[in-house]
Amino acid sequence: MFNIALFGAGRIGQVHAVNINNHPETNLYSVIDPYLEGAQKLVDSYQAKIQSVEEAMADPNVHGVCIGSATDTHANLIELAAINGKAIFCEKPIDLELSRVRDCLAVVEKHNVPMLVGFNRRYDPQFRQLKEQLGAGTIGKAESLLITSRDPSPPPAEYSQVSGGMFRDMTVHDLDMARFIIGEDPVSITAHGSCMVDPAIGEAGDIDTAVLVLQFPSGVMATIVNSRRSGYGYDQRLELHGEKGLLQAGNMKENLVQHWGDVGCTSAKPQPFFLERYQDAYIAEWQHFADVLAGRCKPECSGVDGEFALVLAEAALESMKSGKTVIL
Amino acid sequence: MFNIALFGAGRIGQVHAVNINNHPETNLYSVIDPYLEGAQKLVDSYQAKIQSVEEAMADPNVHGVCIGSATDTHANLIELAAINGKAIFCEKPIDLELSRVRDCLAVVEKHNVPMLVGFNRRYDPQFRQLKEQLGAGTIGKAESLLITSRDPSPPPAEYSQVSGGMFRDMTVHDLDMARFIIGEDPVSITAHGSCMVDPAIGEAGDIDTAVLVLQFPSGVMATIVNSRRSGYGYDQRLELHGEKGLLQAGNMKENLVQHWGDVGCTSAKPQPFFLERYQDAYIAEWQHFADVLAGRCKPECSGVDGEFALVLAEAALESMKSGKTVIL
Amino acid sequence: MFNIALFGAGRIGQVHAVNINNHPETNLYSVIDPYLEGAQKLVDSYQAKIQSVEEAMADPNVHGVCIGSATDTHANLIELAAINGKAIFCEKPIDLELSRVRDCLAVVEKHNVPMLVGFNRRYDPQFRQLKEQLGAGTIGKAESLLITSRDPSPPPAEYSQVSGGMFRDMTVHDLDMARFIIGEDPVSITAHGSCMVDPAIGEAGDIDTAVLVLQFPSGVMATIVNSRRSGYGYDQRLELHGEKGLLQAGNMKENLVQHWGDVGCTSAKPQPFFLERYQDAYIAEWQHFADVLAGRCKPECSGVDGEFALVLAEAALESMKSGKTVIL
Amino acid sequence: MFNIALFGAGRIGQVHAVNINNHPETNLYSVIDPYLEGAQKLVDSYQAKIQSVEEAMADPNVHGVCIGSATDTHANLIELAAINGKAIFCEKPIDLELSRVRDCLAVVEKHNVPMLVGFNRRYDPQFRQLKEQLGAGTIGKAESLLITSRDPSPPPAEYSQVSGGMFRDMTVHDLDMARFIIGEDPVSITAHGSCMVDPAIGEAGDIDTAVLVLQFPSGVMATIVNSRRSGYGYDQRLELHGEKGLLQAGNMKENLVQHWGDVGCTSAKPQPFFLERYQDAYIAEWQHFADVLAGRCKPECSGVDGEFALVLAEAALESMKSGKTVIL
């Protein structure tokens, strides 16, 4: 049984707490959060204890850390965990500054601890299924990928400062997904953005609607279509075209009931947002981290993957500003 | 070019007029209808002429008749056409009385003219496709058939007298479809009905909701689910289960556009009623009659088929009244 | 925390063990199974202990029993649990003999313990959703229900003796579902069966293919279409027609990826069988039993529901043999 | 009745011949084609006559021309028809050279004859439906458009010379569609291409796979995804995202039968190619031209639309070569 110290008792921390508890090989050992009330709720539900950052890092009973705290604490916590020899699971991003990411990864490498970066979508059973069918030759060689990714509603305009902007905050998942599916590193990126949803986002210097095109060494092109608004749930789809056919991974609906009535045939909306849509992905992700803890495999999504996604997000920003394709 | 005399310039007559005109081998020669205004409209559109029943039947230029007039005129017109050596296309039913049907068919047989009974659904490309896939072995041996057939809205209660009741008027199509798909004659029928839609229909001695079960010599069972009301268009579906799988022929929607919005994912209703839903079936049916006229084939749906469907409708009525399975 | 004694460490027992363990209010306390190896596996995984029937029934720490053992042990275990004041969750059926069921229920009533009968499909989120939409008036008053229920492949012919035949073993779920959805007790039942899948089943006096029609006091008709074979996964669908429209609960597919290739557009099969298809139903069912244990509600599916389903199965048998509708 | 001279008796000419014949206001008067055998077939089927270019243009009985001959004859025939006062329907493109297009349009304008350019997809009922729903406010203000357009298989590499390359030949339809749906003229275009299907196409200096992004004055972005190969029929879809939801116009399948079997649930491929997929569009297009002939409306798709699509295709070529967004 591996004891896990959970950093962050918020929305995503609660998801991980359930999965840590339900997994037969992991135990929610402690919760660390400056907001004590939230931490207390979790420790009560799962017979865990509250610790400080220092206590958790120094505690030899802690085998692994699960970092789901605020973005600006990630890099520090990663470094402390590495220094203290803990296996690391960290939500994306490592940091919003590329230089800080690189310094942090150097510390992890020096202390040689396993680290898994939480690009949750890589574990989504639908997207995995699509990737497996590609691998099995169902559509032959890949030719073009389309990623549709729309949030249900925009964050407040102020969030643009905290999040690093749409590309670093939201598109970064799709950039990682493109690399994951194609299995290559892109050679160029072109980005287009506009502000269609909330003018305040534009005034804050950010965008809310985007199209990006990536080209890969094999000639494959990946297109990413993004919006901060959907109005019909969380829109998360993949479409991969190959020499022998097409694979589509569609939205997961809230239920499968169809109603035929006087306005036509209506079925449910897609799942509302990431906690519901990627519920199974979070379970599979944690299963993978348990496999890493048990030494059964290496992390499938490493610090370098986290770094690469950020490099792409920054190149996208440069392309959008210059109106030119950026060669990587 | 075969000259066709069209009996009946109403809704269904107009459908046939277009198809007669568009077919390269047939010509709308004359229209016969006591309602002269309707007849005049058709002859104007297609450079045809108005005739009386007697003129049309006596005219040696008429090669075939298309009977789409009121139900109680069918048997007489069929007999006149047979006596005058015309090829016959007649909308179902031949008559509502079984004895009259049999007398009429005897006349047709005596004069040895080809006759096609218009069970339009047999020519529907979707149902044909399902039957072809059964024939090609896609699902192996058939095991059970489900026919869902619902009209958009009930006829006035008075219509029950004219139509012979729901089984003779509406279910008769589904009874024919069951024979057509399974390719056997049923050995028993059990029928259940209720009046759920319009109490006046019940007071008139008829039903508006029904379930029927037919058993075939091979053990195959066919279930027919009927209603006089759908509220979401014309509901016309087949589902055939076999030893190796399932075939479904679903509803044809008015268009293929999907709308994802705050009430979910909505697509169009099925086609509103038979004129739209079976538009392609009517064209294919006429193509088949042109093939019969040209001697390229025998009628696929003969007077005997029309008779058999009526026999089944009457047995269904007997079963519903007695609460017993009727052995055929 | 409620301590649960689990009777039966087989396929279904393992499902309940996971759900008992993952639920925050229940604890897998002990496992009782004559096959000790299976029991040991479960107690090892969940820090439970092995008990004998007598030990478990006498143990004051046991608050509730979960009975997932062989069918012929159910009634005895229920009576013992009732006598010992335990809350009871029991997989269907209570017994295959109606008189034994009634005796057993009398004991439960005398000792006044809560009992939940495990008709798992009542907790399926899809079917619940359909029932809720009916309740919310989406389609107005219900008019006809269609239940399609096909197992992936037939059991060995010998099983017919153990199971009490197809109606008591398999159709019983659909008979309960019809009552659950319509919310009335049927007034008549008509059943038709044939042996299409395996002749040995017919020789054993059982059937493998069936169609049943139930009529309810309100005039609603329910049709059940059954087969012991599907060849394309577990086929579990509901279709409810009402005065204002239609509700359909379709199959849950193994995944949502669509492949467009040279044979057309292909998506995954439905879930293979009940353990996968009703995974969420089992979780919701256990949640309901936890609510019963905590006194938050009464059992939604009582012994009387178990008894009624068996009454219907026996009436179906009588109808099939007599070729007549059986009035209830 | 308007008499039509049809130029070109090939594949597309035959489509128009049927539609001219079936329309109650138009008559196939003559066919002009240097390949006399093809012309003869058509005149035999429809009681038309063979004419030379000169005869048809000089014949006062000819009210309109339908130009479906080889691309390099279009501009000349248009000019001759304009000079002779005939109403003009011409398949796209007017010419592959922009200067030739402009000269030709000047002649049409000078002689003030109505001209309809045959961008057939504008008349597709599915795409019309989507545009109407946009107009009706179903999704509020448009935000981004996705056009997926894939041919079933690539043309021979030599064709690149004749066709003017993929953008001028194939993408030109999608460029026109983007303008049609959004109802604005784009302000910039960015194009990416690669050769994934047939190396010989690359050697001939052309591409077979492309992604294009257009930006419109309102901020709307349109993405076009193209391939010369699909392997699963003709892939023709639109997806329009707006402030209140999403509209999708999917592929039209060859039939609606679904097969559930051991490889999953399979339905038919999309229609094989444009003649089948756009069959209804060609009929509606001809209906529109009949409306133009009868003076009931102006051409919805004029010479200027034909010119604009070519301007966009050339800008796309420039963008792909330079790696920069081209401002229009």
Side-chain angles (χ1 to χ4, degrees):
Chain A
M1 191 71 93
F2 299 100
N3 290 322
I4 306 296
L6 172 66
F7 293 80
R11 211 159 50 156
I12 193 67
Q14 290 162 31
V15 169
H16 290 304
V18 174
N19 296 339
I20 293 167
N21 179 65
N22 285 355
H23 195 284
E25 292 175 285
T26 60
N27 173 46
L28 185 62
Y29 178 81
S30 62
V31 179
I32 301 94
D33 196 307
Y35 174 60
L36 282 176
E37 206 176 320
Q40 192 63 45
K41 259 196 193 161
L42 280 182
V43 303
D44 288 351
S45 296
Y46 300 106
Q47 289 92 46
K49 60 177 158 188
I50 287 186
Q51 288 190 311
S52 68
V53 172
E54 295 70 27
E55 284 166 353
M57 292 299 181
D59 189 334
N61 291 320
V62 171
H63 305 106
V65 298
C66 175
I67 303 175
S69 49
T71 292
D72 57 8
T73 67
H74 289 190
N76 282 343
L77 290 173
I78 289 171
E79 289 177 348
L80 281 171
I83 291 165
N84 287 283
K86 317 292 189 202
I88 302 165
F89 171 86
C90 185
E91 281 296 320
K92 72 99 202 166
I94 297 168
D95 196 88
L96 293 171
E97 287 302 315
L98 201 45
S99 58
R100 183 73 189 87
V101 170
R102 285 170 178 156
D103 290 348
C104 177
L105 293 184
V107 174
V108 174
E109 187 161 72
K110 185 181 158 196
H111 292 277
N112 196 27
V113 293
M115 176 162 97
L116 181 65
V117 173
F119 278 118
N120 57 323
R121 299 182 195 174
R122 287 189 176 218
Y123 307 92
D124 176 63
Q126 311 305 324
F127 299 162
R128 286 262 152 163
Q129 178 65 27
L130 184 144
K131 188 170 160 70
E132 270 165 35
Q133 291 194 21
L134 172 65
T138 311
I139 58 164
K141 193 166 48 76
E143 288 178 3
S144 75
L145 172 68
L146 174 70
I147 299 175
T148 302
S149 174
R150 293 188 180 108
D151 280 357
S153 55
E158 311 84 74
Y159 182 67
S160 294
Q161 300 310 318
V162 187
S163 71
M166 190 189 190
F167 287 154
R168 280 195 196 89
D169 174 48
M170 176 180 170
T171 312
V172 72
H173 276 290
D174 307 304
L175 294 165
D176 181 65
M177 183 54 64
R179 285 182 66 234
F180 174 67
I181 296 291
I182 302 303
E184 299 176 18
D185 291 331
V187 292
S188 77
I189 187 165
T190 316
H192 311 267
S194 58
C195 181
M196 304 294 286
V197 178
D198 181 0
I201 289 176
E203 283 155 26
D206 201 0
I207 54 168
D208 51 36
T209 306
V211 180
L212 297 94
V213 181
L214 288 81
Q215 287 191 289
F216 290 82
S218 58
V220 175
M221 285 180 285
T223 306
I224 296 169
V225 174
N226 274 163
S227 173
R228 284 290 197 181
R229 165 166 70 187
S230 65
Y232 49 89
Y234 190 38
D235 193 358
Q236 297 283 295
R237 290 175 283 150
L238 292 189
E239 187 167 314
L240 180 64
H241 181 253
E243 56 182 337
K244 291 193 284 182
L246 179 71
L247 292 171
Q248 291 179 317
N251 281 317
M252 296 180 68
K253 295 182 178 178
E254 287 187 303
N255 63 69
L256 300 180
V257 174
Q258 285 196 316
H259 172 227
W260 300 71
D262 56 9
V263 298
C265 175
T266 304
S267 52
K269 289 196 288 188
Q271 296 286 3
F273 206 11
F274 65 98
L275 294 179
E276 298 86 3
R277 169 64 181 85
Y278 290 117
Q279 187 179 15
D280 287 345
Y282 285 116
I283 293 171
E285 185 181 56
W286 190 256
Q287 172 63 54
H288 175 53
F289 189 58
D291 290 342
V292 169
L293 279 165
R296 288 189 292 265
C297 67
K298 301 265 171 210
E300 282 185 15
C301 185
S302 68
V304 173
D305 294 303
E307 178 190 347
F308 208 123
L310 188 58
V311 167
L312 290 175
E314 301 210 338
L317 217 52
E318 185 192 332
S319 166
M320 183 173 66
K321 284 179 183 160
S322 69
K324 288 183 198 165
T325 295
V326 169
I327 308 298
L328 296 161
Chain B
M1 190 71 94
F2 299 101
N3 290 323
I4 307 297
L6 172 66
F7 293 80
R11 212 161 48 156
I12 193 67
Q14 290 162 31
V15 168
H16 290 305
V18 173
N19 296 338
I20 294 167
N21 180 65
N22 284 356
H23 194 283
E25 293 175 284
T26 60
N27 174 46
L28 184 63
Y29 178 80
S30 62
V31 179
I32 302 93
D33 196 307
Y35 174 62
L36 282 175
E37 208 176 319
Q40 193 64 45
K41 258 197 193 161
L42 279 183
V43 304
D44 288 352
S45 296
Y46 299 106
Q47 288 92 46
K49 59 177 158 187
I50 286 184
Q51 287 190 312
S52 67
V53 172
E54 296 69 29
E55 284 167 353
M57 292 299 182
D59 190 333
N61 291 320
V62 171
H63 305 105
V65 298
C66 175
I67 303 174
S69 48
T71 292
D72 58 7
T73 67
H74 288 189
N76 282 344
L77 291 172
I78 289 170
E79 289 177 348
L80 281 171
I83 291 164
N84 286 283
K86 316 294 190 200
I88 303 165
F89 170 88
C90 185
E91 280 298 320
K92 73 99 204 169
I94 296 168
D95 197 87
L96 292 172
E97 288 301 315
L98 202 45
S99 58
R100 182 74 189 88
V101 170
R102 284 168 177 158
D103 290 349
C104 177
L105 294 184
V107 175
V108 174
E109 187 161 75
K110 183 180 161 198
H111 293 277
N112 196 26
V113 293
M115 177 162 95
L116 182 65
V117 173
F119 279 118
N120 57 324
R121 300 183 194 174
R122 287 188 176 220
Y123 307 92
D124 176 62
Q126 310 306 324
F127 300 161
R128 286 262 152 165
Q129 178 65 28
L130 183 145
K131 189 171 160 68
E132 270 165 33
Q133 290 194 22
L134 172 65
T138 310
I139 56 164
K141 193 166 49 76
E143 289 179 1
S144 76
L145 172 67
L146 174 71
I147 300 176
T148 301
S149 174
R150 294 189 179 108
D151 279 358
S153 53
E158 312 85 76
Y159 182 67
S160 295
Q161 301 310 318
V162 188
S163 70
M166 190 189 189
F167 287 155
R168 280 196 197 87
D169 175 47
M170 176 180 168
T171 312
V172 73
H173 276 290
D174 307 305
L175 294 165
D176 182 65
M177 182 54 65
R179 285 183 66 235
F180 175 65
I181 295 291
I182 303 302
E184 300 176 18
D185 291 333
V187 292
S188 78
I189 186 165
T190 316
H192 311 268
S194 59
C195 182
M196 304 292 287
V197 179
D198 181 1
I201 289 176
E203 284 155 26
D206 201 0
I207 54 167
D208 51 35
T209 306
V211 179
L212 298 93
V213 180
L214 288 81
Q215 288 191 289
F216 290 82
S218 58
V220 175
M221 285 180 284
T223 305
I224 296 170
V225 174
N226 274 164
S227 172
R228 282 292 197 181
R229 163 165 72 188
S230 65
Y232 49 88
Y234 191 37
D235 192 359
Q236 297 282 294
R237 291 173 283 149
L238 292 188
E239 187 167 314
L240 180 63
H241 181 254
E243 57 181 335
K244 290 193 284 181
L246 178 72
L247 292 170
Q248 292 179 316
N251 281 316
M252 297 180 67
K253 295 184 177 177
E254 287 187 304
N255 63 69
L256 301 179
V257 174
Q258 285 196 316
H259 171 227
W260 301 71
D262 56 10
V263 297
C265 174
T266 304
S267 53
K269 288 196 289 189
Q271 296 286 3
F273 207 12
F274 66 96
L275 294 178
E276 299 85 3
R277 169 63 180 85
Y278 291 117
Q279 188 179 15
D280 287 345
Y282 286 116
I283 294 171
E285 185 182 56
W286 192 256
Q287 172 62 54
H288 175 54
F289 189 58
D291 290 342
V292 169
L293 279 165
R296 287 189 292 265
C297 67
K298 301 264 171 212
E300 282 185 15
C301 183
S302 69
V304 173
D305 293 304
E307 179 190 346
F308 208 122
L310 188 57
V311 167
L312 290 175
E314 302 210 337
L317 218 50
E318 186 193 330
S319 166
M320 183 173 64
K321 284 178 183 159
S322 68
K324 290 184 198 165
T325 294
V326 170
I327 308 298
L328 298 162
Chain C
M1 192 70 95
F2 299 99
N3 290 323
I4 307 296
L6 171 67
F7 293 80
R11 215 162 44 158
I12 193 67
Q14 290 162 32
V15 168
H16 290 304
V18 173
N19 296 339
I20 293 168
N21 179 66
N22 284 354
H23 195 284
E25 293 175 284
T26 59
N27 174 45
L28 184 64
Y29 179 82
S30 62
V31 179
I32 302 93
D33 196 307
Y35 174 61
L36 283 175
E37 206 175 321
Q40 192 63 46
K41 258 196 194 161
L42 280 183
V43 304
D44 288 351
S45 296
Y46 299 106
Q47 288 92 45
K49 59 177 158 189
I50 287 184
Q51 287 189 312
S52 68
V53 172
E54 295 70 26
E55 284 166 352
M57 292 300 181
D59 189 334
N61 291 318
V62 171
H63 305 106
V65 298
C66 175
I67 304 174
S69 48
T71 292
D72 58 7
T73 67
H74 288 191
N76 283 344
L77 290 173
I78 288 171
E79 289 177 348
L80 281 172
I83 290 164
N84 287 283
K86 317 292 189 202
I88 303 165
F89 171 88
C90 185
E91 280 297 319
K92 72 97 202 169
I94 297 168
D95 197 88
L96 293 172
E97 287 302 315
L98 202 45
S99 57
R100 183 73 190 87
V101 170
R102 285 170 178 156
D103 291 348
C104 177
L105 293 184
V107 175
V108 174
E109 188 160 73
K110 184 180 160 197
H111 292 277
N112 196 27
V113 293
M115 175 162 97
L116 181 65
V117 173
F119 279 118
N120 57 323
R121 298 183 196 173
R122 287 188 175 219
Y123 307 91
D124 176 62
Q126 310 305 323
F127 299 162
R128 286 261 152 164
Q129 177 66 27
L130 184 145
K131 188 171 161 69
E132 270 165 34
Q133 291 194 21
L134 172 65
T138 311
I139 57 164
K141 193 166 49 74
E143 289 178 3
S144 76
L145 172 68
L146 174 70
I147 300 176
T148 302
S149 173
R150 293 189 180 108
D151 280 356
S153 55
E158 310 85 73
Y159 181 67
S160 294
Q161 300 310 318
V162 188
S163 70
M166 190 189 188
F167 288 154
R168 280 196 197 89
D169 174 47
M170 176 181 169
T171 312
V172 73
H173 276 290
D174 307 305
L175 294 165
D176 181 65
M177 183 53 64
R179 285 182 67 235
F180 174 67
I181 294 291
I182 302 303
E184 300 175 19
D185 290 333
V187 292
S188 78
I189 187 165
T190 317
H192 311 267
S194 58
C195 182
M196 304 293 287
V197 178
D198 181 0
I201 288 176
E203 284 154 26
D206 201 0
I207 54 167
D208 51 36
T209 306
V211 179
L212 298 94
V213 180
L214 288 80
Q215 288 191 288
F216 289 83
S218 58
V220 175
M221 285 181 284
T223 306
I224 296 170
V225 174
N226 275 163
S227 172
R228 284 290 198 182
R229 163 165 72 187
S230 66
Y232 49 89
Y234 190 37
D235 192 357
Q236 296 284 295
R237 290 173 284 150
L238 293 188
E239 187 166 314
L240 179 64
H241 181 253
E243 55 181 337
K244 291 193 284 181
L246 178 72
L247 293 170
Q248 291 178 316
N251 282 317
M252 297 180 68
K253 295 182 178 177
E254 288 187 303
N255 65 69
L256 300 178
V257 174
Q258 285 197 315
H259 172 227
W260 300 72
D262 56 10
V263 297
C265 175
T266 305
S267 51
K269 288 196 288 188
Q271 297 286 2
F273 206 11
F274 65 98
L275 295 179
E276 299 85 4
R277 170 64 182 83
Y278 291 117
Q279 187 179 14
D280 287 345
Y282 286 116
I283 294 171
E285 186 182 53
W286 191 256
Q287 172 63 54
H288 175 54
F289 189 58
D291 290 343
V292 169
L293 279 166
R296 288 188 293 264
C297 67
K298 300 264 171 211
E300 283 185 15
C301 184
S302 68
V304 173
D305 293 304
E307 178 189 347
F308 209 122
L310 188 57
V311 167
L312 291 175
E314 301 209 339
L317 218 50
E318 185 193 332
S319 166
M320 183 172 67
K321 284 178 183 159
S322 68
K324 289 183 197 164
T325 295
V326 169
I327 308 298
L328 296 162
Chain D
M1 191 69 97
F2 299 101
N3 291 323
I4 306 297
L6 172 66
F7 293 80
R11 213 163 44 158
I12 193 67
Q14 291 163 30
V15 169
H16 290 303
V18 173
N19 296 339
I20 293 167
N21 180 66
N22 285 355
H23 195 282
E25 293 175 285
T26 59
N27 174 44
L28 184 63
Y29 179 81
S30 63
V31 179
I32 303 94
D33 196 308
Y35 174 62
L36 283 176
E37 207 176 319
Q40 193 64 46
K41 260 197 192 159
L42 279 182
V43 304
D44 289 351
S45 297
Y46 300 105
Q47 288 91 45
K49 60 178 158 187
I50 286 185
Q51 287 191 310
S52 68
V53 172
E54 296 69 29
E55 286 166 351
M57 293 298 182
D59 189 334
N61 291 319
V62 170
H63 305 106
V65 298
C66 175
I67 304 175
S69 49
T71 291
D72 59 5
T73 68
H74 288 189
N76 282 344
L77 291 172
I78 288 170
E79 289 178 348
L80 281 171
I83 291 164
N84 287 283
K86 317 292 190 202
I88 302 164
F89 171 87
C90 185
E91 281 297 321
K92 73 98 204 169
I94 297 168
D95 197 87
L96 293 171
E97 287 301 314
L98 201 45
S99 57
R100 184 72 190 87
V101 171
R102 285 169 177 156
D103 290 349
C104 176
L105 293 183
V107 175
V108 174
E109 186 161 74
K110 185 180 159 196
H111 293 277
N112 196 26
V113 293
M115 177 162 96
L116 182 65
V117 173
F119 279 118
N120 57 324
R121 298 183 196 174
R122 288 188 175 219
Y123 307 91
D124 176 63
Q126 311 306 324
F127 299 162
R128 285 263 153 165
Q129 177 66 28
L130 183 145
K131 188 172 160 68
E132 271 165 32
Q133 291 195 20
L134 173 65
T138 311
I139 56 164
K141 193 166 49 75
E143 289 179 2
S144 75
L145 173 68
L146 174 70
I147 300 175
T148 302
S149 174
R150 294 189 179 108
D151 280 357
S153 54
E158 311 84 75
Y159 182 67
S160 294
Q161 300 310 317
V162 187
S163 70
M166 190 189 188
F167 288 154
R168 281 196 196 87
D169 174 47
M170 176 180 169
T171 312
V172 73
H173 276 290
D174 307 304
L175 294 165
D176 182 64
M177 183 54 65
R179 285 183 66 234
F180 174 67
I181 295 290
I182 302 301
E184 300 175 19
D185 290 333
V187 293
S188 78
I189 187 166
T190 317
H192 312 267
S194 59
C195 182
M196 303 294 287
V197 179
D198 181 0
I201 288 176
E203 282 155 26
D206 201 359
I207 55 168
D208 50 36
T209 305
V211 180
L212 298 93
V213 180
L214 287 81
Q215 288 191 288
F216 291 82
S218 58
V220 176
M221 285 181 283
T223 306
I224 296 169
V225 174
N226 275 163
S227 172
R228 283 293 198 182
R229 164 166 71 188
S230 65
Y232 50 89
Y234 191 36
D235 192 359
Q236 297 282 295
R237 290 174 282 151
L238 292 188
E239 186 167 314
L240 180 62
H241 181 254
E243 55 181 337
K244 291 194 283 182
L246 178 73
L247 293 169
Q248 291 179 316
N251 280 318
M252 297 180 67
K253 295 183 178 177
E254 288 187 305
N255 64 69
L256 300 179
V257 174
Q258 285 197 316
H259 171 229
W260 301 71
D262 56 9
V263 297
C265 174
T266 305
S267 53
K269 288 195 290 188
Q271 296 285 2
F273 206 11
F274 66 98
L275 294 179
E276 298 86 3
R277 168 65 182 84
Y278 291 116
Q279 188 179 14
D280 287 344
Y282 285 117
I283 293 170
E285 185 182 57
W286 191 256
Q287 173 62 54
H288 176 55
F289 189 59
D291 291 342
V292 169
L293 280 165
R296 288 189 293 265
C297 68
K298 302 265 171 209
E300 283 184 16
C301 184
S302 69
V304 173
D305 293 304
E307 179 189 347
F308 209 123
L310 188 57
V311 167
L312 290 175
E314 301 209 339
L317 217 51
E318 186 193 330
S319 166
M320 182 172 66
K321 283 178 183 159
S322 68
K324 289 184 198 164
T325 294
V326 169
I327 309 298
L328 296 162

